[in-house]
Amino acid sequence: MSACLCLPCYKKKEGSSAAAAKQSIDPPTSSLLQKPTHSPLPPSKGMDAVERLKSGFEQFKASIYDKKPELFEPLKAGQAPKYMVFACADSRVCPSVTLGLQPGEAFTIRNIAAMVPPYDKNRYTGIGSAIEYAVCALKVEVLVVIGHSKCGGIKALMSHQDGAADNFHFVEDWVRIGFIAKKKVQKEHAAVPFDDQCSVLEKEAVNVSLDNLLTYPWVKEGVAQGTLKLVGGHYNFVDGEFLTWEK
């Protein structure tokens, strides 16, 4: 079952990135994490970085915090979020902004490509502890994994050659969490261009993360008992669309 929510579309200017979009199926992974070539967007433009943070908080406090005591006063006593959201660390896809989530509504984890690793007491304990706390202590009801368009982590996974040396200390090892999804895309969509393969992988990697969530005993138990729901999502900021599906 799926639903589509159309969001406002903000198109950026076409430039040198158009040529990069026409790369072969094996573009260099060094393109990942490169600084954007376009100018910084407002409101940071022309403002000291620290002052930008201060002014941002002042605006938030004056226009939101001070005007909504009914929202913030209860949060002083504790939190009871309904959602746990896994989203990419990409600066273009903040889930609180794109989904209109209010403070106290979602316990959020953001990392490269919104990956959820399988249960392992010796690796990825930061993610494991967050899932355990959200499910067992906060009693969240919905676990949501959200992929997105133009994801650099997904591009790194799709372009990395098996057996090749890593270009980063951590990135390639992390995105290999989605290796099964990559192999599926390569098998089922071998004839399509690289960018289209990445678009498919953005969603297939979400499904792998949803499967990995079920390896956590308290998540598996919650789903079996009907107290937890697993939801996949994909935010396309190019076309202004948000797609959801249930596991």
Side-chain angles (χ1 to χ4, degrees):
M1 182 177 181
S2 64
C4 183
L5 171 65
C6 292
L7 303 173
C9 179
Y10 300 94
K11 294 184 178 179
K12 61 182 182 180
K13 296 180 180 179
E14 295 292 337
S16 59
S17 59
K22 298 180 181 179
Q23 289 176 328
S24 65
I25 199 168
D26 298 317
T29 55
S30 60
S31 61
L32 180 66
L33 305 183
Q34 284 183 343
K35 289 289 185 179
T37 55
H38 57 275
S39 300
L41 297 174
S44 302
K45 189 175 182 180
M47 184 181 294
D48 175 79
V50 176
E51 286 303 317
R52 164 67 185 93
L53 298 179
K54 291 180 179 179
S55 65
F57 175 75
E58 290 170 358
Q59 182 178 0
F60 159 76
K61 188 173 187 301
S63 61
I64 299 178
Y65 184 89
D66 290 341
K67 292 186 177 181
K68 293 186 176 182
E70 73 283 358
L71 171 62
F72 291 97
E73 283 300 321
L75 296 180
K76 296 177 182 180
Q79 60 172 323
K82 181 176 183 177
Y83 302 96
M84 181 176 191
V85 176
F86 297 89
C88 186
D90 192 304
S91 61
R92 301 167 292 182
V93 297
C94 177
S96 295
V97 174
T98 57
L99 301 180
L101 296 169
Q102 298 296 313
E105 198 170 6
F107 191 75
T108 305
I109 298 296
R110 298 184 67 179
N111 59 48
I112 298 294
M115 296 281 183
V116 180
Y119 177 90
D120 190 326
K121 293 194 69 173
N122 298 313
R123 297 185 73 193
Y124 313 123
T125 55
I127 299 293
S129 63
I131 297 171
E132 183 178 26
Y133 185 74
V135 174
C136 300
L138 297 179
K139 308 297 183 183
V140 297
E141 300 173 22
V142 185
L143 303 181
V144 189
V145 182
I146 304 173
H148 70 90
S149 57
K150 306 293 184 181
C151 181
I154 292 298
K155 183 178 180 181
L157 172 61
M158 195 72 235
S159 61
H160 189 66
Q161 296 298 299
D162 297 345
D166 292 347
N167 292 301
F168 296 93
H169 289 276
F170 302 105
V171 174
E172 287 92 352
D173 184 56
W174 173 255
V175 297
R176 285 192 189 97
I177 292 169
F179 183 78
I180 296 175
K182 171 184 175 178
K183 288 302 179 183
K184 180 180 179 181
V185 172
Q186 288 178 327
K187 179 180 179 180
E188 298 179 0
H189 304 275
V192 304
F194 175 81
D195 286 349
D196 292 337
Q197 288 184 328
C198 288
S199 295
V200 176
L201 184 55
E202 288 162 4
K203 301 179 183 67
E204 290 295 344
V206 168
N207 288 329
V208 168
S209 288
L210 293 174
D211 288 338
N212 286 344
L213 279 170
L214 290 172
T215 65
Y216 293 82
W218 46 87
V219 174
K220 183 178 181 180
E221 180 181 2
V223 171
Q225 295 178 349
T227 59
L228 271 181
K229 180 183 292 186
L230 302 187
V231 176
H234 183 267
Y235 171 42
N236 184 339
F237 61 77
V238 176
D239 298 321
E241 296 176 347
F242 183 71
L243 176 71
T244 63
W245 61 93
E246 291 188 24
K247 178 64 180 174

